[in-house]
Amino acid sequence: MSTLDPAGPAAADIATLWWVMFWGALVLFALVMALLVLSFLRPAMIASIRPIHWIIGGGLIMPVPILIALLMAALLLGEQLLPKPGGVQPMRVEAHASRWQWQFSYPETPGAATTEILHLPAGEPVDIVVTAADVIHAFWVPRLGGKIDAIPGHTNVIRLQADEPGVYRGICAEYCGEGHETMGFVVEAHSPADYATAIGGAQ
Amino acid sequence: MIRHLWPLLAGFTLWALAFILLYALQYLGCYFGWAPAAHRTALVVGYVMSLAALAGALLVQLALLRRRGSAATSLDRIGIGATIAALAATAVTFGPTLLASACI
Ligand SMILES: [Cu+2]
């Protein structure tokens, strides 16, 4: 269930962003540690740096480019995750949260419904329409991407894709009461033929 | 109190107002389904207005500093720094309203 083991394009983008932030943070940590070590080994050298240079160097020149680069990376990767209108519209499935379980229905197959198992076709994007009955929940399948809030009275859409058939665990990612931690579900991604069978069995 | 502290508060108060303005424009445009070009124009106008308001505050503070001459307090000078920071923060943090997707 690790976000660093992505199984689809949305999760891969998020994992890329995570690694960018990880290596960026590591470089900054190493820099701070080097300065700390220098302050013990070469105190005269550190003392020769004037306070205004610490403020301008450490407070502006170092963080501003890094934060702007991270902001741009997050925006560019984030844009790719959005279920934008226009173009080919992917298949839609509905995920409805209530205390404390997930119900899934499949508008393209009237009558098909599942509880705690979400069937998806593998290898194609799917728009998941997320709603809630009572309180705020959140839909999260770490290996596929996400997460997105399930809000009463509001409809949220998240576009996910499982590249390969397989089983991916999902959880409610917003604390929603005493049954919260049991509010898990499973995504079963099928090849096209298996998907038809699985959905047929859910009718 | 506010009489003395306003140079410190002006910049980031305007930043907060710009935040509310731009967030409201983004939400209302999506809610009422404005045409994408009109919606983007409204956001760009809101962004430019926010920058103009902050630049105006900065000019007022600079003029006041000059008028007070040697009577200017350190609070006046720190307030100018705070307004410059708020101006830069407005330009950077609201920059995405010019390009990022507004509605999905
Ligand atoms: Cu929940």
Side-chain angles (χ1 to χ4, degrees):
Chain A
M1 220 159 86
S2 168
T3 50
L4 298 182
D5 181 20
D13 281 351
I14 292 168
T16 301
L17 183 60
W18 191 90
W19 282 110
V20 168
M21 291 187 166
F22 173 78
W23 289 113
L26 200 67
V27 168
L28 292 180
F29 180 72
L31 187 68
V32 172
M33 284 301 125
L35 288 171
L36 183 65
V37 169
L38 272 179
S39 73
F40 283 109
L41 299 182
R42 299 272 184 282
M45 188 181 144
I46 294 292
S48 70
I49 300 173
R50 291 167 57 210
I52 187 74
H53 292 148
W54 283 113
I55 292 170
I56 291 176
L60 288 174
I61 293 174
M62 188 186 73
V64 167
I66 292 171
L67 290 177
I68 287 180
L70 285 177
L71 176 70
M72 303 239 296
L75 276 170
L76 290 173
L77 290 169
E79 283 283 325
Q80 294 179 24
L81 302 180
L82 298 177
K84 289 183 194 164
V88 183
Q89 285 303 297
M91 193 187 104
R92 285 167 89 87
V93 302
E94 290 170 357
H96 188 63
S98 57
R99 285 177 289 176
W100 288 274
Q101 88 183 353
W102 290 94
Q103 285 169 294
F104 303 101
S105 51
Y106 308 83
E108 294 181 8
T109 315
T114 50
T115 301
E116 289 170 3
I117 296 178
L118 170 58
H119 296 290
L120 293 182
E124 62 173 279
V126 179
D127 278 356
I128 296 160
V129 181
V130 179
T131 52
D134 36 37
V135 298
I136 298 178
H137 304 265
F139 177 96
W140 191 27
V141 187
R143 292 193 61 205
L144 298 185
K147 57 191 97 149
I148 197 157
D149 278 358
I151 302 169
H154 186 77
T155 301
N156 274 334
V157 181
I158 186 167
R159 185 166 294 173
L160 296 181
Q161 173 176 329
D163 288 334
E164 302 291 336
V167 175
Y168 309 97
R169 285 177 55 206
I171 52 170
C172 176
E174 179 72 46
Y175 183 71
C176 57
E178 61 185 61
H180 169 68
E181 65 281 1
T182 62
M183 199 176 154
F185 59 98
V186 160
V187 174
E188 290 185 5
H190 307 277
S191 64
D194 292 346
Y195 178 71
T197 314
I199 284 295
Q203 260 175 310
Chain B
M1 186 80 164
I2 292 289
R3 201 159 52 87
H4 299 292
L5 280 183
W6 76 264
L8 272 185
L9 299 174
F12 278 98
T13 303
L14 285 170
W15 177 89
L17 290 174
F19 183 92
I20 294 167
L21 170 78
L22 290 168
Y23 213 149
L25 278 176
Q26 191 243 323
Y27 179 78
L28 292 175
C30 296
Y31 186 80
F32 291 116
W34 295 350
H39 193 187
R40 183 65 67 192
T41 306
L43 286 168
V44 172
V45 169
Y47 179 77
V48 173
M49 275 171 49
S50 307
L51 287 179
L54 271 149
L58 184 59
L59 290 178
V60 168
Q61 283 173 265
L62 285 170
L64 219 64
L65 183 77
R66 215 169 299 124
R67 215 175 61 200
R68 286 190 181 156
S70 57
T73 64
S74 58
L75 208 55
D76 291 331
R77 279 182 288 275
I78 297 168
I80 286 168
T83 303
I84 290 172
L87 182 62
T90 302
V92 172
T93 54
F94 303 144
T97 53
L98 303 177
L99 290 170
S101 301
C103 313
I104 49 169

